[in-house]
Structure formats: structure tokens, C-alpha cells
Coordinates of all heavy atoms in Angstrom, one line a residue:
G1 N 142.6 72.4 74.6 CA 143.1 71.2 75.3 C 142.5 70.0 74.6 O 142.3 69.9 73.4
F2 N 142.2 69.0 75.5 CA 141.6 67.8 75.0 C 140.1 67.8 75.2 O 139.4 66.7 75.1 CB 142.2 66.6 75.7 CG 143.6 66.3 75.2 CD1 144.7 67.0 75.8 CD2 143.9 65.4 74.2 CE1 146.0 66.8 75.4 CE2 145.2 65.2 73.8 CZ 146.2 65.9 74.4
G3 N 139.5 69.0 75.5 CA 138.1 69.0 75.8 C 137.2 68.6 74.6 O 136.2 67.8 74.8
L4 N 137.4 69.0 73.4 CA 136.6 68.7 72.3 C 136.8 67.2 71.9 O 135.9 66.6 71.4 CB 136.9 69.6 71.1 CG 136.4 71.0 71.2 CD1 136.8 71.9 70.0 CD2 134.9 71.1 71.4
R5 N 138.0 66.7 72.1 CA 138.3 65.3 71.7 C 137.7 64.3 72.7 O 137.1 63.3 72.3 CB 139.8 65.1 71.6 CG 140.2 63.8 71.1 CD 141.7 63.7 70.8 NE 142.0 62.4 70.3 CZ 143.3 62.0 70.0 NH1 144.3 62.9 70.2 NH2 143.5 60.8 69.5
Y6 N 137.9 64.5 74.0 CA 137.4 63.6 75.0 C 136.4 64.1 76.0 O 135.7 63.3 76.6 CB 138.6 63.1 75.8 CG 139.7 62.4 75.0 CD1 141.1 62.9 75.1 CD2 139.5 61.3 74.2 CE1 142.1 62.3 74.4 CE2 140.5 60.7 73.5 CZ 141.8 61.2 73.6 OH 142.8 60.6 72.9
G7 N 136.3 65.4 76.1 CA 135.6 65.9 77.2 C 134.3 66.7 77.0 O 134.0 67.6 77.8
K8 N 133.6 66.4 75.9 CA 132.4 67.2 75.7 C 131.4 67.1 76.8 O 130.7 68.1 77.2 CB 131.7 66.7 74.4 CG 132.4 67.1 73.1 CD 131.6 66.9 71.9 CE 132.3 67.2 70.6 NZ 133.2 66.1 70.2
Y9 N 131.2 65.9 77.4 CA 130.2 65.8 78.5 C 130.7 66.5 79.7 O 130.0 67.1 80.5 CB 129.9 64.3 78.8 CG 129.1 63.6 77.8 CD1 129.7 62.6 77.0 CD2 127.8 64.0 77.5 CE1 128.9 61.9 76.0 CE2 127.0 63.4 76.5 CZ 127.6 62.4 75.8 OH 126.9 61.7 74.8
A10 N 132.0 66.5 79.9 CA 132.6 67.3 81.0 C 132.4 68.8 80.8 O 132.1 69.5 81.8 CB 134.1 67.0 81.1
I11 N 132.5 69.3 79.6 CA 132.3 70.7 79.3 C 130.8 71.0 79.6 O 130.5 72.1 80.1 CB 132.6 71.0 77.8 CG1 134.1 70.9 77.6 CG2 132.2 72.4 77.4 CD1 134.6 70.9 76.2
I12 N 129.9 70.1 79.2 CA 128.5 70.3 79.5 C 128.2 70.4 81.0 O 127.5 71.3 81.5 CB 127.6 69.2 78.9 CG1 127.7 69.1 77.4 CG2 126.2 69.3 79.4 CD1 127.2 70.4 76.7
S13 N 128.9 69.6 81.7 CA 128.7 69.6 83.2 C 129.2 70.9 83.8 O 128.6 71.5 84.6 CB 129.5 68.4 83.8 OG 129.2 68.2 85.1
A14 N 130.3 71.4 83.2 CA 130.8 72.7 83.7 C 129.9 73.9 83.3 O 129.7 74.8 84.1 CB 132.2 72.9 83.1
I15 N 129.4 73.8 82.1 CA 128.4 74.9 81.7 C 127.2 74.9 82.6 O 126.8 76.0 83.0 CB 128.0 74.6 80.2 CG1 129.2 74.8 79.2 CG2 126.9 75.6 79.8 CD1 128.8 74.4 77.8
I16 N 126.7 73.7 82.9 CA 125.5 73.7 83.8 C 125.9 74.3 85.2 O 125.1 75.1 85.8 CB 125.0 72.2 84.0 CG1 124.5 71.7 82.7 CG2 124.0 72.1 85.1 CD1 123.3 72.5 82.1
I17 N 127.1 73.9 85.7 CA 127.5 74.4 87.0 C 127.7 76.0 87.0 O 127.1 76.7 87.9 CB 128.8 73.8 87.5 CG1 128.5 72.3 87.8 CG2 129.4 74.5 88.7 CD1 129.8 71.5 88.1
K18 N 128.4 76.5 86.0 CA 128.7 77.9 86.1 C 127.8 78.8 85.3 O 127.6 79.9 85.8 CB 130.1 78.0 85.5 CG 130.6 79.5 85.7 CD 132.1 79.7 85.2 CE 132.5 81.1 85.3 NZ 133.8 81.4 84.8
K19 N 127.2 78.3 84.2 CA 126.5 79.2 83.4 C 124.9 79.0 83.4 O 124.2 80.0 83.2 CB 127.0 79.1 81.9 CG 128.4 79.6 81.7 CD 128.4 81.1 81.9 CE 129.8 81.6 81.6 NZ 129.9 83.1 81.8
Y20 N 124.5 77.8 83.5 CA 123.1 77.5 83.3 C 122.1 78.4 84.1 O 121.2 79.1 83.6 CB 122.8 76.1 83.5 CG 121.3 75.7 83.4 CD1 120.6 75.7 82.2 CD2 120.6 75.4 84.6 CE1 119.3 75.4 82.1 CE2 119.2 75.1 84.5 CZ 118.6 75.1 83.3 OH 117.3 74.8 83.2
L21 N 122.4 78.5 85.4 CA 121.6 79.3 86.3 C 121.9 80.7 86.3 O 121.2 81.5 87.0 CB 121.6 78.7 87.7 CG 121.1 77.3 87.9 CD1 121.3 76.8 89.3 CD2 119.6 77.2 87.5
D22 N 123.0 81.1 85.7 CA 123.4 82.5 85.7 C 122.7 83.3 84.6 O 122.8 84.6 84.5 CB 124.9 82.6 85.4 CG 125.7 82.1 86.6 OD1 125.0 81.9 87.6 OD2 126.9 81.9 86.5
N23 N 122.0 82.7 83.7 CA 121.4 83.4 82.6 C 119.8 83.2 82.6 O 119.3 82.4 83.3 CB 121.9 82.8 81.3 CG 123.4 83.0 81.2 OD1 123.9 84.1 80.9 ND2 124.2 82.0 81.3
N24 N 119.2 84.1 81.8 CA 117.7 84.0 81.9 C 117.1 83.7 80.5 O 116.0 84.0 80.2 CB 117.1 85.4 82.4 CG 117.6 86.5 81.5 OD1 118.2 86.4 80.5 ND2 117.3 87.7 82.0
S25 N 117.9 83.1 79.6 CA 117.4 82.8 78.3 C 118.2 81.6 77.7 O 119.4 81.5 77.9 CB 117.6 84.0 77.3 OG 117.2 83.6 76.0
L26 N 117.5 80.7 77.0 CA 118.2 79.6 76.3 C 119.0 80.1 75.1 O 120.0 79.5 74.7 CB 117.1 78.7 75.7 CG 116.3 77.8 76.7 CD1 115.2 77.1 75.9 CD2 117.2 76.9 77.4
E27 N 118.8 81.3 74.7 CA 119.5 81.9 73.6 C 121.0 82.1 73.8 O 121.7 82.3 72.9 CB 118.8 83.2 73.1 CG 117.4 83.1 72.8 CD 117.1 82.2 71.6 OE1 118.0 82.2 70.7 OE2 116.1 81.4 71.6
S28 N 121.4 82.1 75.1 CA 122.8 82.4 75.4 C 123.7 81.1 75.3 O 124.8 81.2 75.7 CB 122.8 82.9 76.9 OG 122.4 81.9 77.8
Y29 N 123.1 80.0 74.8 CA 123.9 78.8 74.8 C 125.2 78.9 74.1 O 126.3 78.3 74.5 CB 123.1 77.6 74.3 CG 122.9 77.6 72.8 CD1 123.8 76.9 72.0 CD2 121.8 78.2 72.2 CE1 123.6 76.8 70.6 CE2 121.6 78.2 70.9 CZ 122.5 77.5 70.0 OH 122.3 77.5 68.7
T30 N 125.3 79.7 72.9 CA 126.6 79.8 72.2 C 127.6 80.6 73.0 O 128.7 80.2 73.1 CB 126.3 80.5 70.9 OG1 125.7 81.7 71.1 CG2 125.5 79.6 70.0
E31 N 127.1 81.7 73.6 CA 128.0 82.5 74.4 C 128.5 81.7 75.7 O 129.7 81.8 76.0 CB 127.2 83.8 74.9 CG 128.0 84.7 75.8 CD 127.1 85.8 76.3 OE1 126.1 86.1 75.7 OE2 127.5 86.4 77.4
D32 N 127.6 81.0 76.3 CA 128.0 80.2 77.5 C 128.9 79.1 77.1 O 129.9 78.9 77.9 CB 126.7 79.6 78.1 CG 125.7 80.6 78.6 OD1 126.1 81.8 78.8 OD2 124.6 80.3 78.8
T33 N 128.7 78.4 76.0 CA 129.6 77.4 75.6 C 131.0 77.9 75.3 O 132.0 77.3 75.8 CB 129.1 76.7 74.3 OG1 127.7 76.2 74.6 CG2 130.0 75.5 73.9
L34 N 131.1 79.0 74.6 CA 132.4 79.6 74.3 C 133.1 80.1 75.6 O 134.3 79.9 75.7 CB 132.3 80.7 73.3 CG 132.0 80.3 71.9 CD1 131.7 81.6 71.0 CD2 133.1 79.5 71.3

């Protein structure tokens, strides 16, 4: 969609909500982002 063009900060916000606390390692950032 338009996420990469306009919504990078929105994607970050979503990653924090859904993924950040669900994992136990910083190493998962690529998997979480995708």
C-alpha cells in the first residue's frame, strides 16, 4: 500500500503495539517488520 511512501512512523507504531512485547530479542526486528 502506501505504508513505505507515507506511513513509516505508522508502521513503527504498529510494530511496537503488536510485536515489540511479544518477542524476547532485538534480533527479531527484521522478522517483526516484515
Side-chain angles (χ1 to χ4, degrees):
F2 288 85
L4 290 176
R5 185 172 182 181
Y6 300 124
K8 287 193 184 77
Y9 290 114
I11 293 171
I12 295 299
S13 194
I15 294 171
I16 295 298
I17 288 173
K18 186 177 179 184
K19 291 292 182 180
Y20 174 72
L21 294 176
D22 292 347
N23 297 287
N24 58 8
S25 172
L26 290 173
E27 301 300 322
S28 66
Y29 75 91
T30 56
E31 177 186 340
D32 297 343
T33 303
L34 286 174

